[in-house]
Amino acid sequence: MREKITYVLAAIVGALLVSNLYTILLGLPDEANQGAIYRIFFFHFPSAITSGLCAFLSLVGSLMYLYRRNLWWDAFAVSATELTLTFGAIVLMTGMIWARIIWGIWWAWDARLTSTLVSWLAYASYLIFRRAIEEPTARARFSAVISIFTFPGVIISWKSIEWWRTQHPGPVISIRGGGGMAPGMEAAAYWNLLPLAVLALILISIRLRQENAQRLLDGFRRQAHEI
Amino acid sequence: MDSRNFTYMFYGFAAAWAVLVIYVITLVSREKKIHQEMDRLKKLIEEGSRK
């Protein structure tokens, strides 16, 4: 039943992504100043929100692990962290490609870019450190602490374009007081956020199942070793 | 449409999709490894308990 729901959701996500791609590439006009390259925003912005959402889920999983001491929450946190990194990589890469055309450079050490990169590296270190610790409860406790201390970096990255005015554009979406986009264009960004966020949730659930299977596997390994 | 602008837009879209596809491939390969290891260990335990 659970697998069927996953397949149905994945099919809906696929259909929405294809329909959105059609709208983004053929339905919307070029932007007056940026031309075609502004369309990268329709992946950059939803991926940033999705990555932030996954980081929040990782924080919830980490806090719940420390509160309940149940390894399921640790598995949930690591699954969400992997998706934070995946969507974070999309944000960084699409941003750099956009910057190459609009700014003429691939990278600038401004507040938004630097804080995003630092947060991404901190979440990457979370996964690297996990591999170094064998004992599951020590690994879970250590990972939870890293995740909790890394999350403020996501908030700093989110608010950085309001706190400091540097190279990265200020808020453009209307709910953040930007108003720099035509309503049709902004709606397309939200429509692409929906399938990407649902896709992240689907991938977290698959990854979570794998993490729990891995724990079962460790139990089998111990059993086989005793025999 | 500026052709350079369009090319980089394509790079951006391709990068986004490539990251997602690579992640999904790692998930699938991890799933395969878990199943293979599970089957191997189950057989090992069954054989061990028979002895």
Side-chain angles (χ1 to χ4, degrees):
Chain A
M1 184 65 187
R2 204 169 140 186
E3 265 190 19
K4 267 186 187 171
I5 294 171
T6 307
Y7 286 133
V8 170
L9 271 177
I12 294 169
V13 162
L16 258 175
L17 282 171
V18 170
S19 144
N20 288 344
L21 211 54
Y22 178 82
T23 308
I24 292 163
L25 290 173
L26 301 170
L28 292 171
D30 282 359
E31 208 264 346
N33 297 316
Q34 299 186 17
I37 195 77
Y38 90 101
R39 288 183 173 87
I40 279 182
F41 177 80
F42 298 114
F43 277 92
H44 181 74
F45 162 75
S47 299
I49 301 287
T50 306
S51 179
L53 177 79
C54 293
F56 178 71
L57 293 178
S58 171
L59 173 76
V60 171
S62 301
L63 288 170
M64 286 305 289
Y65 172 74
L66 291 180
Y67 180 61
R68 292 269 167 100
R69 301 283 167 170
N70 181 339
L71 285 171
W72 187 91
W73 286 108
D74 173 59
F76 179 75
V78 70
S79 308
T81 303
E82 279 192 10
L83 270 302
T84 305
L85 278 172
T86 304
F87 281 94
I90 295 175
V91 175
L92 289 167
M93 287 167 81
T94 52
M96 283 168 67
I97 292 166
W98 176 86
R100 181 69 188 87
I101 291 292
I102 301 299
W103 299 341
I105 47 172
W106 290 100
W107 186 263
W109 292 103
D110 91 325
R112 166 57 75 84
L113 276 71
T114 308
S115 58
T116 305
L117 179 65
V118 169
S119 298
W120 192 88
L121 290 172
Y123 279 113
S125 74
Y126 168 101
L127 294 181
I128 293 165
F129 280 125
R130 276 184 75 85
R131 287 172 174 264
I133 304 171
E134 282 283 322
E135 209 279 308
T137 53
R139 181 174 58 210
R141 196 171 56 242
F142 187 72
S143 305
V145 171
I146 294 184
S147 176
I148 291 165
F149 278 100
T150 303
F151 188 73
V154 177
I155 303 287
I156 292 170
S157 171
W158 173 45
K159 297 296 281 180
S160 60
I161 50 171
E162 289 165 17
W163 290 342
W164 301 287
R165 279 305 313 122
T166 51
Q167 186 86 17
H168 191 281
V172 288
I173 54 166
S174 55
I175 55 167
R176 288 189 74 182
M181 287 189 91
M185 290 176 178
E186 193 169 326
Y190 292 131
W191 270 111
N192 219 27
L193 169 61
L194 178 69
L196 288 180
V198 175
L199 178 65
L201 294 177
I202 292 171
L203 294 174
I204 286 175
S205 77
I206 293 170
R207 184 68 189 88
L208 181 58
R209 209 179 53 209
Q210 286 184 353
E211 198 66 22
N212 289 328
Q214 189 68 49
R215 224 168 43 233
L216 202 66
L217 209 58
D218 291 341
F220 278 146
R221 269 197 201 110
R222 277 194 294 275
Q223 213 177 325
H225 189 70
E226 281 161 15
I227 290 169
Chain B
M1 199 183 280
D2 178 355
S3 67
R4 191 159 166 264
N5 211 335
F6 183 79
T7 307
Y8 274 74
M9 181 199 79
F10 171 76
Y11 291 158
F13 279 39
W17 283 104
V19 170
L20 279 176
V21 167
I22 289 167
Y23 184 70
V24 170
I25 289 171
T26 61
L27 272 189
V28 171
S29 83
R30 216 180 273 171
E31 186 92 23
K32 255 186 202 167
K33 273 182 197 163
I34 287 171
H35 280 294
Q36 281 170 356
E37 184 71 357
M38 195 86 87
D39 291 343
R40 192 184 70 83
L41 287 171
K42 272 181 185 169
K43 270 182 200 161
L44 208 70
I45 291 166
E46 275 172 16
E47 282 168 14
S49 56
R50 258 185 241 141
K51 285 172 192 170

